[in-house]
Amino acid sequence: MDEPRIAAWDRRVDWPLTGLAVVFLAVYTWQVLQRSLSPGAHEALDVVLTVVWVLLGVDYLVRIALARRRRRYVGRHVLDLLILLLPVLRPLRALRVVTVIGVLNRQLRDDFRGRVAVYVVGTVTLVGFVSALGVLDAERDAPGATITTFGEALWWTITTISTVGYGDRYPVTFEGRVVAATLMIAGIALLGVVTASIASWFLANIRSTAAEAARITEDELRATSAQLTEVLAELRAVSGRLAELERDRPIRPSA
């Protein structure tokens, strides 16, 4: 293990962090979709989101402190750092929801390791739902916005993540475009995973078929060898019996 202390920390905090991420996502969903919230309720939910986001930031700092090669760790996790720092800027507050993707995706990967189809479906659903929330939060109050309802946000997410891109819905704000760029990259990556999964499935089936054919051939050879051994044993027994009969047969005198 490259970083055993970080691995031990992961085992200890993975489920608590997953719970925090789920709370974050639920509160953020409520805040975005419930437009009738009072200013006080909206502010209270914002406090909860900030607290969870800060705790996720503390987790990142702990990982850096536990790393044996801190510069190398930071270099390999620059994206995590950006995801935590960018939402500090007021115009990018909606990007806070992206923070939970890494935590939930890590749990999906651990829970469904070896079950690629389940993992891909779970990841696509998570990324799509989070992106729809983020782009709706960024776009709906902007002048000239084409994404003003959650249904439109979901439609935009589906066309974007599938790389179809009809162009009937598109972000007009900088924050929305950042969400769109992230979603495009995620869509390409997911298509790559699906393609690799299909190729891996074909290779696994070919190897399994070849191994089965080899096993059957080997079993047939063993069975044939066993049959030949039995036939030879029977031939030896018949030959011995004939020899005994030949010895016991009386010799007739010649005329």
Side-chain angles (χ1 to χ4, degrees):
M1 181 65 65
D2 190 29
E3 293 288 355
R5 292 195 298 178
I6 293 179
W9 172 258
D10 285 342
R11 289 192 295 270
R12 181 175 298 178
V13 302
D14 257 357
W15 281 110
L17 286 179
T18 301
L20 284 176
V22 171
V23 170
F24 188 104
L25 188 56
V27 172
Y28 185 75
T29 302
W30 187 13
Q31 188 184 58
V32 172
L33 298 184
Q34 184 58 265
R35 296 287 282 172
S36 60
L37 287 174
S38 65
H42 193 280
E43 188 172 330
L45 294 179
D46 213 31
V47 169
V48 174
L49 294 177
T50 302
V51 169
V52 175
W53 175 68
V54 168
L55 290 175
L56 294 176
V58 170
D59 170 68
Y60 181 79
L61 294 177
V62 171
R63 292 170 189 275
I64 294 177
L66 293 175
R68 293 186 299 182
R69 302 177 181 178
R70 294 177 182 175
R71 291 184 180 179
R72 182 181 178 186
Y73 182 84
V74 173
R76 287 184 173 182
H77 298 82
V78 174
L79 182 60
D80 293 342
L81 180 61
L82 291 176
I83 288 174
L84 284 169
L85 292 181
L86 286 177
V88 175
L89 305 175
R90 184 66 191 178
L92 300 178
R93 291 293 297 279
L95 293 184
R96 292 174 304 177
V97 72
V98 181
T99 308
V100 306
I101 292 180
V103 177
L104 295 177
N105 184 60
R106 184 170 65 231
Q107 198 61 48
L108 280 172
R109 185 180 62 243
D110 293 341
D111 288 350
F112 299 110
R113 183 171 296 172
R115 289 179 281 178
V116 178
V118 178
Y119 170 68
V120 170
V121 171
T123 303
V124 169
T125 303
L126 172 64
V127 172
F129 182 71
V130 167
S131 299
L133 288 175
V135 78
L136 178 62
D137 192 17
E139 292 288 311
R140 63 183 169 193
D141 295 324
T146 62
I147 303 172
T148 57
T149 66
F150 188 62
E152 292 172 347
L154 282 177
W155 172 249
W156 170 83
T157 298
I158 293 170
T159 58
T160 302
I161 202 171
S162 63
T163 68
V164 174
Y166 284 113
D168 55 341
R169 297 285 184 271
Y170 52 88
V172 297
T173 64
F174 174 72
E175 186 178 14
R177 288 170 181 171
V178 172
V179 174
T182 304
L183 186 60
M184 291 173 192
I185 295 172
I188 294 171
L190 288 171
L191 284 177
V193 170
V194 171
T195 302
S197 300
I198 293 173
S200 176
W201 180 79
F202 274 114
L203 286 175
N205 275 271
I206 291 172
R207 289 172 181 169
S208 176
T209 303
E212 184 69 17
R215 187 186 64 78
I216 291 174
T217 302
E218 186 176 347
D219 291 345
E220 288 177 347
L221 288 174
R222 289 176 180 172
T224 303
S225 177
Q227 290 174 355
L228 287 175
T229 301
E230 292 177 2
V231 170
L232 288 175
E234 291 177 0
L235 287 176
R236 290 192 186 97
V238 170
S239 177
R241 183 59 179 165
L242 290 175
E244 290 179 0
L245 292 174
E246 187 68 24
R247 286 196 302 269
D248 296 339
R249 189 177 63 178
I251 300 176
R252 297 179 179 177
S254 59

